[in-house]
Amino acid sequence: MIKELATGLGVTLGQFFKKPVTLQYPNEKLVMFPRFRGLHILARHEDGLERCVGCELCAVACPADAIFVKAAENDPDRPSSHGERYAERYEINMLRCIFCGMCEEACPEDAIFLEKDYELADYRREAFIYTKDELLVGEEKAGYLPVR
Amino acid sequence: MSAKVRVTINGRTVEVPAGTLVTDAARAAEVHIPVFCSHAKLPPLGACRICLVEIGLPRKDRDGKPVLGADGGPEIAWNPKPQTGCTTPVSEGMVVATDSPVAVKARKGTMEFLLVNHPLDCPVCDEGGECQLQDLAFAFGADFSRMSDAKRTFVSENLGPVVKKEANRCIVCMRCVRYCDEIMGEDALTPHRRGVRTEISSFDRQPLDCEQCGNCVEVCPVGALTALPYRFKARPWDLRQHITICPWCSNGCSVRLGVRGTEILRARGTERRGVNQEYLCVRGRFGYGFVNDAARLTGALVRPPGAAGAGNALEPASFEEAVAHAAARLREIAARDGADAIAFLGGEKLGLEEQYLFQKLARAVLGTNHVDSRTRLVAPLPGTAFLKATGGGRPSISLDELGRTKEVLVLGDDLQGESPFLQAVLLRGQHQQGVHLTVAHPRRVKLARARFGGVWLGLAPGSELALLNGLTRAALDLGDPLPAPSGGPPPAEVAAGLPALRTALAAWTPERAAQATGVPAAAIVAAARRLREAPSRAIVFGRAYAEHAQAAALLQAVENLGWATGALTAGRSCVLYAGPHSGTQGALDMGLAPDVLPGYVPLADAAARAPFEKQWNAKLGAAPGLTAPEILAAAAAGRVKALWIVGDEWVRSAPDRALVEQALARAELVIVSDLFLTETARRAHVVFPAVSFAEKEGVLVDCERRLQRTARALAPRRGAKSDGEIFQAVARALGAAWSYRTNEDVFREIARLVPGYEGLSWATLLPLGPQWASEPARVAASLRPAADERPAAGEGLWLLSGGVLFQQGSLGHRIELLTRLAGAACARFHPDEWKRLGLTAGDAVLLEGPGGSLTLPVAVDESVPPGAVFVPYAHRDVELNRLGSPGGAGLRVKASKAGIAQRTGV
C-alpha cells in the first residue's frame, strides 16, 4: 500500500517541476494552431484591393446560413476589387456561425479565412452581426494570407 | 394526327409522334440530353454539338424486313459517328444511347471544346448558379484543362440600357440572334466575323434599337448576355421564385418574380410554362419597380366633408376610421338621394374575385346598378358588346393556335404597344407557320412592315367603318356565312339578319369603300377573299375600336365581318378582343357593367336574376344603370353624388378632362382605392391604400378567356389592404354579413353562382387554367347594318393616338427604366405635314381640340399619314383628354407652331 501511495505522490510531485499548462487568461493568451478556426477576415490583394468579388459562394456554402452578401458593380475609376463586381455589403452573423470553415473552402478568390480571434463575447445581440468594415483587414495587411 | 413510333433510349422504350426530335423523345423517356442551341420555339440548328448521342436503327434485309440478332431481337446497325439529338427526328425502332462510351466521349470532347475559350470568371458572372454551361461542365466536363494558350478576348459592351454583352463567355449557340429575328421580328443582333472569332453584337455596334424585351438575355444559356437592371443584384439561390400573371396587358403572360427579402429583383418567363413560356415584353420583364416604390400609400386618408381646397386637406386616418367614414357617408347619400346617386367605376386592374365583390357591394349592399369598369369608353356600350363581337362566348382558339391560323386580320391596334405578346405570337407564326398578316391601321405599324410579308391596309383616319363595311360586303359577295364546324347552319339570328345586311351593304362596293378609305379596291377584295377562303382565319381588335367614338357601330361591323368571313363559325378561327388591361375580360365576366350581372346575366331577366338575389339576400334593380360616359356626365351635372373609383386614374383615363374635373369637384363623396396618391386620389374624400399585383392572389382572365391563378410573391406593404379586404370592410360597415376569409372563398361563390364558371375551383386552374366558353352562346348573335357616318368633331388634323411599348398607364411613370426608354412624348407628323406647318427639329406644337389645348415637342415620322398627327397617350406629359372628347368618327385638332419646346426630355 505504501508503494502505491508513493507512486501516486511521485506523479503529483513530478508535476511541480514541469512547465504549467494553465494560462493566466486574459493576461496571458494561447497561440492558436495554424488551422484554428476563429473570427473570419476578408483579405486584400498586394495592391490593397479587396480579394472578395461578392460571388456569394460562401453564403450558399454556409450550412448555418450566417452570411449575407450583396454585390454591386465597381466604379471603374475607384474599384474596390479586381474585376467588375465587389461585395457592397458583407455580413456574418456570429451567433449563427458554427466555425465549420465551409466558406473558406468555397471561396474561389481566397478572400475569406477563419482567423485566430476567438474573443467574440459581447453584451448586445447586434454586435454579433459582423459587417464588412469589421471583417476586412486593414490596408497595412494588404497581401496577407494566413498560413494553412 | 401523325403516326406514333417506338424509340428506345437508354433501354427505356417510349412511343412518340413521328417527327419528334431525339432530344424531345428523351424528355418523354425521362432521359436527360443536354442542349444549348436547341430551343422549344426555334427550329433545330445543331450548332453547339453538346447533344451528341449514339443512334442506331434496326438492320433490314433486302425485303425490308428487320434482321433478327442472336437474342431474337432486331439487330441494330449503329451509326459509326455520334449524331446531334436536337436535329435528328426519331423513326420506328430507333435505339439511342446517351451513356455509351462513344456518346460520353463525344460529349466530354464537346464540353472541352466549348470551354477552350470560355473564361473562368464564374464568381463575377451574373449567370453563375443558373448557368447551363456551368451545370453541364460540372456534370459532364473534365475537371482540368489541357489548354495552356491565351484565350481569345473581346471587349464587353453595354448594348443599350437593358443588355450587357460579355462576348468572351459566348458559346455561339445563336439562340439570341434567332429569337430576336424569328419571334421578336427585330433582327437587332447579328454575328460578327467567323469561326472562333465569332462575336454576337448589334449592327455597327450601336446600342440596340429594338423592343428592349430582354428575351435575348433570357434565352442565353451562358452569361454572355445579362440584364443590366439585374446586374449583380443577387444570386439565384437568394431569390424566392413566385409564378404569377403579368399585370401590364390582357395577354396573361406568366411571370416569375424573383424576390429577395421584401424586394422584387427581377421578373422572368418560365420555359414550358404559361401561355407565353419564356417570352416577356419589356414591360413584363422590367416593369415591377412600382411595387417597391417608396411613394406608395401606407395608410388611409380622409377629407372632412366639403370641397377640396385649402384648410380641407386629406388627413391620415386609420383604416377602420376611413371605412367607418366612407360607410357613413355612403349611407347618408343613399338615404337622402337614393342609391342611384352612387356610382362605382374602374376595376379593370383587379383580380376576378375583387371585381365580383366590387359589383356585389354596389348592387347587393348599396342597391345601385351604376357600375362600369370601362372608364375610357367614349360611346356608351352594353356590357355584352365585346363578348357579342367575339361570338357571344363560343369556344375561342388559344393564343398558341392563333399562331398557326393561316390568315389574321389586325384591326386598329398597334399590337406592339397594346399586346406585345400577341404581336410576338403573330410574328412567330408568320415566320415559322406561314401565318399571313393583314393589318388595317392608319399608320404603318410594326406588324405591317414589308419584311413580315403581310398586307397593310393603310386606311384614312376615321374611315374604319367604311373599311369594315367594304370588307363585309366583299366577303358576302363570295357567299353566305360558313356553317359551323359541326356542320350545322349559323345561328338563326345570323340567317335572319342577312338579307337586311346585304341590302344595307349593297352600296358599299369595293370602289366606294376604296374612295372612303383610300385603300385600293383590289386590296379590300383580296383581303376579304383571303379571310373567307383561308383554311383558318382570325380577326383581332383592341382598345382602338373599344374606345372609339363610333365603338357601337364598329363592334357590330366587326361581328358582321366575323360571320361573313367565317371567323366566328369555322374551326380554328376566332374573333379576338385584346383588351387594355389584365382584368378587362374578367371585369366584364364579373358584371362590372351597368346592364349585366356576373356571367352576362341580363339584369332585366327576373328568372335569371333570382339565383343572385337568393345568394346575395338582396333585391336587385331590374333597370340597367349608367355606363361610364353617362356616369361622367351625370356626376358633372350633379346627379351622381358619390363615386367609388378603384385602381383607375380617372382624371387621365376618362375621355374628357374638363368634364372629369368638374365631376370630381361636384361629387360630395369620392372614394379612391389605389397604390399611389394619384391625381384622382388627390381629389378624393376617402383614399384607401391598395396592394399591388404581387401582394395578392386570385384569378385573372386573359384575352383568350383563359382563367389563370395569380400568386402572392410578397407580404402586403405595411398599412395597405387588398381591394377585396377594403370592399368587405365597407360592406360589413354597411351592415352586410360578408365573411370571406380569402379570395378562394369568393371564387367558390363565383363557381357556384356564375354561369360559365360552374365547377371551377382554384385547384383546377394550375398550371394553366381552361378557357371558358359556352355553347349555345351566352349572347345572341345579330347581323345588323352598321352604317353610322358621322363627321369627326372639330376641324384640322386627325388626332391619332395609340399605345407605346414602354409606357402603359400611370404605373409605368413610376418605373425609371421604362420612362427613360419611352423618351419624351412627341407629336409626330408626316414629312408633308411637317413642311406645311413649317416645323423644325426642337420646335413645339400647339394642338387645339374642342375641349382644350396641349403643347408638345414635335418629331417627324413617315409612318403617320398626311393630314394627321400621332400622339401616344401613355406618357406622363401627355394628357390627351384635355383636348376634349372625340365625337363622330374621331377627333380633329388644330396644330400650330408654338416656338421652342420647353420640355425636351422626361
Side-chain angles (χ1 to χ4, degrees):
Chain A
M1 194 189 80
I2 301 292
K3 189 184 162 216
E4 283 83 358
L5 199 64
T7 314
L9 279 171
V11 171
T12 311
L13 284 170
Q15 294 299 324
F16 287 164
F17 304 102
K18 285 192 180 160
K19 202 167 165 248
V21 175
T22 314
L23 284 185
Q24 292 303 314
Y25 182 83
N27 296 329
E28 296 174 60
K29 284 179 186 170
L30 200 64
V31 177
M32 306 312 287
F33 294 106
R35 296 177 77 168
F36 176 80
R37 299 195 295 265
L39 179 67
H40 309 67
I41 60 162
L42 288 174
R44 286 182 190 272
H45 284 286
E46 283 83 358
D47 57 10
L49 291 179
E50 298 158 19
R51 295 187 79 98
C52 176
V53 296
C55 74
E56 300 193 27
L57 278 182
C58 48
V60 74
C62 180
D65 203 6
I67 305 181
F68 175 85
V69 185
K70 185 170 180 293
E73 184 158 13
N74 266 323
D75 176 0
D77 301 325
R78 295 184 52 233
S80 300
S81 69
H82 292 175
E84 300 166 308
R85 184 175 177 133
Y86 77 104
E88 189 184 31
R89 278 171 67 191
Y90 193 105
E91 289 165 11
I92 304 182
N93 184 344
M94 295 310 290
L95 290 175
R96 300 191 75 152
C97 177
I98 57 169
F99 301 97
C100 65
M102 291 298 280
C103 46
E104 186 178 322
E105 193 105 345
C107 183
E109 300 287 332
D110 284 347
I112 189 166
F113 294 95
L114 279 81
E115 263 285 35
K116 312 293 182 289
D117 185 3
Y118 50 83
E119 295 173 304
L120 305 175
D122 211 308
Y123 293 101
R124 296 166 302 116
R125 280 178 175 271
E126 307 87 89
F128 290 95
I129 311 281
Y130 281 73
T131 60
K132 190 176 159 190
D133 297 337
E134 295 165 85
L135 296 169
L136 189 64
V137 297
E139 296 267 4
E140 74 286 351
K141 288 184 91 171
Y144 164 75
L145 292 178
V147 180
R148 285 286 187 258
Chain B
M1 184 176 72
S2 53
K4 296 261 186 178
V5 294
R6 292 166 69 83
V7 201
T8 307
I9 303 172
N10 286 4
R12 291 167 181 238
T13 305
V14 284
E15 212 174 60
V16 292
T20 307
L21 298 170
V22 169
T23 43
D24 295 328
R27 196 171 292 114
E30 295 180 358
V31 172
H32 177 60
I33 298 181
V35 290
F36 289 125
C37 67
S38 164
H39 188 274
K41 286 191 181 175
L42 295 170
L45 183 68
C48 71
R49 322 303 288 180
I50 194 69
C51 62
L52 286 175
V53 288
E54 208 179 359
I55 293 178
L57 290 169
R59 194 186 298 281
K60 291 185 178 165
D61 61 16
R62 286 185 187 169
D63 305 331
K65 293 202 181 105
V67 179
L68 297 187
D71 58 347
E75 196 180 311
I76 302 298
W78 290 97
N79 197 305
K81 284 184 177 182
Q83 287 175 273
T84 49
C86 75
T87 57
T88 311
V90 294
S91 61
E92 181 60 38
M94 182 184 271
V95 182
V96 178
T98 73
D99 51 3
S100 68
V102 174
V104 170
K105 191 180 171 209
R107 198 156 52 221
K108 207 157 188 162
T110 306
M111 201 67 219
E112 185 174 23
F113 184 62
L114 287 174
L115 291 176
V116 165
N117 278 310
H118 194 84
L120 263 178
D121 61 352
C122 299
V124 295
C125 175
D126 247 346
E127 193 81 3
E130 52 188 353
C131 175
Q132 292 173 41
L133 188 66
Q134 205 177 31
D135 294 349
L136 293 181
F138 197 75
F140 303 119
D143 52 4
F144 67 97
S145 173
R146 293 188 286 166
M147 306 296 153
S148 54
D149 290 330
K151 300 188 175 190
R152 59 110 171 80
T153 50
F154 300 108
V155 182
S156 73
E157 292 174 307
N158 287 3
L159 300 177
V162 163
V163 181
K164 173 85 180 179
K165 188 204 75 182
E166 185 70 63
N168 295 335
R169 299 177 188 145
C170 180
I171 58 168
V172 205
C173 69
M174 302 294 284
R175 266 187 180 186
C176 53
V177 175
R178 293 187 296 150
Y179 201 99
C180 193
D181 178 22
E182 298 186 18
I183 293 173
M184 301 311 299
E186 283 291 330
D187 214 357
L189 290 165
T190 186
H192 293 244
R193 308 180 79 180
R194 306 181 69 176
V196 72
R197 290 186 192 81
T198 308
E199 182 187 7
I200 310 290
S201 190
S202 53
F203 287 98
D204 243 6
R205 298 177 185 279
Q206 295 298 306
L208 289 174
D209 175 23
C210 67
E211 292 193 1
Q212 310 289 349
C213 61
N215 281 314
C216 47
V217 175
E218 185 70 43
V219 297
C220 182
V222 295
L225 299 176
T226 50
L228 281 169
Y230 175 66
R231 190 160 165 80
F232 301 156
K233 284 261 168 61
R235 288 291 184 191
W237 54 76
D238 293 326
L239 301 176
R240 281 174 291 128
Q241 313 266 1
H242 300 271
I243 296 183
T244 186
I245 303 298
C246 174
W248 285 103
C249 75
S250 62
N251 295 168
C253 296
S254 283
V255 51
R256 183 156 46 114
L257 299 175
V259 180
R260 189 181 197 186
T262 58
E263 198 181 354
I264 300 176
L265 290 183
R266 68 169 172 187
R268 304 179 67 187
T270 310
E271 214 174 333
R272 299 173 205 283
R273 169 96 193 225
V275 296
N276 56 318
Q277 309 207 336
E278 76 300 298
Y279 171 93
L280 282 181
C281 70
V282 61
R283 297 199 294 253
R285 195 177 295 281
F286 303 112
Y288 48 76
F290 65 88
V291 175
N292 290 103
D293 196 307
R296 272 196 44 195
L297 289 169
T298 53
L301 302 168
V302 170
R303 189 195 310 277
N312 195 12
L314 281 168
E315 286 160 16
S318 73
F319 181 68
E320 291 73 22
E321 285 165 10
V323 167
H325 181 76
R329 296 280 293 136
L330 282 171
R331 196 183 286 129
E332 182 191 325
I333 291 170
R336 194 187 62 216
D337 301 303
D340 274 352
I342 303 171
F344 283 62
L345 281 167
E348 286 195 315
K349 296 176 193 164
L350 300 183
L352 195 77
E353 293 86 355
E354 295 165 332
Q355 291 163 339
Y356 173 82
L357 290 183
F358 192 49
Q359 61 86 35
K360 184 176 172 183
L361 173 63
R363 292 197 167 111
V365 180
L366 284 161
T368 174
N369 278 329
H370 302 333
V371 189
D372 206 343
S373 60
R374 307 158 301 166
T375 54
R376 284 159 213 79
L377 290 196
V378 179
L381 286 178
T384 51
F386 300 112
L387 194 69
K388 183 167 168 295
T390 54
R394 280 181 183 71
S396 176
I397 62 174
S398 66
L399 290 180
D400 189 41
E401 289 166 314
L402 182 70
R404 295 195 295 271
T405 307
K406 291 301 166 212
E407 173 71 28
V408 179
L409 171 66
V410 181
L411 289 171
D413 261 14
D414 178 7
L415 293 186
Q416 185 181 38
E418 305 289 3
S419 295
F421 177 56
L422 205 49
Q423 172 178 275
V425 165
L426 294 178
L427 287 177
R428 177 179 171 226
Q430 189 273 330
H431 203 287
Q432 296 176 359
Q433 305 284 346
V435 174
H436 183 268
L437 297 166
T438 307
V439 182
H441 199 289
R443 289 184 296 128
R444 187 149 204 168
V445 294
K446 177 173 168 181
L447 268 185
R449 283 181 199 159
R451 68 169 284 222
F452 301 126
V455 171
W456 173 47
L457 305 178
L459 69 163
S463 66
E464 290 86 357
L465 208 48
L467 181 72
L468 289 175
N469 281 336
L471 283 170
T472 311
R473 146 92 200 226
L476 284 176
D477 282 352
L478 296 168
D480 282 343
L482 298 173
S486 53
E493 297 89 347
V494 174
L498 197 57
L501 184 66
R502 278 193 192 278
T503 318
L505 291 179
W508 282 103
T509 57
E511 289 69 34
R512 177 165 170 218
Q515 193 195 352
T517 59
V519 180
I524 295 178
V525 174
R529 179 176 290 277
R530 280 197 307 274
L531 274 172
R532 166 102 193 168
E533 291 174 357
S536 54
R537 75 289 280 161
I539 300 172
V540 178
F541 70 102
R543 76 190 298 170
Y545 279 20
E547 293 162 18
H548 200 280
Q550 290 177 324
L554 281 172
L555 294 185
Q556 181 61 56
V558 169
E559 192 189 351
N560 293 348
L561 185 64
W563 290 116
T565 57
L568 286 174
T569 40
R572 291 175 288 124
S573 302
C574 75
V575 177
L576 189 81
Y577 168 52
H581 290 293
S582 57
T584 300
Q585 183 66 43
L588 295 169
D589 288 359
M590 285 303 109
L592 278 185
D595 56 338
V596 287
L597 286 165
Y600 302 94
V601 170
L603 268 171
D605 183 347
R609 210 169 58 216
F612 289 91
E613 295 188 325
K614 183 157 173 271
Q615 172 74 38
W616 295 350
N617 194 21
K619 191 90 191 82
L620 299 177
L626 302 177
T627 59
E630 291 161 348
I631 290 172
L632 175 62
R639 292 197 303 279
V640 165
K641 294 188 166 32
L643 287 164
W644 190 325
I645 303 161
V646 58
D648 191 86
E649 176 69 303
W650 201 39
V651 171
R652 294 178 66 105
S653 65
D656 192 328
R657 172 88 178 205
L659 212 54
V660 73
E661 292 197 350
Q662 194 186 337
L664 288 173
R666 191 108 188 243
E668 285 178 37
L669 174 66
V670 179
I671 304 172
V672 170
S673 35
D674 213 318
L675 264 61
F676 294 95
L677 194 60
T678 57
E679 285 181 68
T680 315
R682 280 178 214 285
R683 293 162 167 83
H685 300 89
V686 180
V687 181
F688 289 115
V691 300
S692 68
F693 76 104
E695 295 154 289
K696 59 186 176 189
E697 52 183 352
V699 173
L700 284 175
V701 188
D702 72 3
C703 60
E704 37 167 11
R705 298 202 299 264
R706 187 188 296 284
L707 277 70
Q708 299 194 91
R709 274 282 309 280
T710 62
R712 173 189 281 189
L714 286 174
R717 169 73 62 106
R718 190 188 294 263
K721 301 272 182 189
S722 82
D723 290 281
E725 287 175 293
I726 297 168
F727 303 149
Q728 171 149 302
V730 174
R732 289 173 73 101
L734 285 167
W738 289 15
S739 55
Y740 306 106
R741 280 164 303 142
T742 60
N743 277 345
E744 193 169 6
D745 287 350
V746 184
F747 193 80
R748 282 196 199 101
E749 184 173 318
I750 294 173
R752 250 198 331 268
L753 195 61
V754 178
Y757 282 71
E758 302 97 343
L760 292 173
S761 73
W762 273 16
T764 60
L765 303 185
L766 287 174
L768 196 61
Q771 289 173 272
W772 77 260
S774 68
E775 207 64 272
R778 196 148 299 288
V779 186
S782 68
L783 277 189
R784 259 204 308 272
D788 190 357
E789 283 183 89
R790 279 174 291 171
E795 53 184 33
L797 300 176
W798 286 93
L799 178 73
L800 298 179
S801 189
V804 286
L805 182 60
F806 302 119
Q807 283 292 335
Q808 171 81 306
S810 55
L811 290 181
H813 306 155
R814 305 267 169 189
I815 296 161
E816 192 269 331
L817 176 72
L818 293 185
T819 318
R820 186 148 47 97
L821 286 170
C826 288
R828 296 180 169 272
F829 295 94
H830 188 268
D832 294 351
E833 217 57 58
W834 177 270
K835 218 174 285 169
R836 194 181 64 75
L837 289 167
L839 296 171
T840 46
D843 279 352
V845 69
L846 176 72
L847 300 177
E848 288 173 282
S853 65
L854 202 62
T855 307
L856 285 170
V858 292
V860 62
D861 188 341
E862 285 192 359
S863 73
V864 181
V869 52
F870 174 73
V871 184
Y873 60 73
H875 283 68
R876 192 206 309 257
D877 294 346
V878 181
E879 287 163 348
L880 268 188
N881 59 2
R882 282 189 191 281
L883 295 175
S885 180
L891 187 65
R892 281 170 172 258
V893 293
K894 274 189 278 187
S896 53
K897 193 169 156 173
I900 306 300
Q902 294 298 308
R903 283 188 298 232
T904 51
V906 176

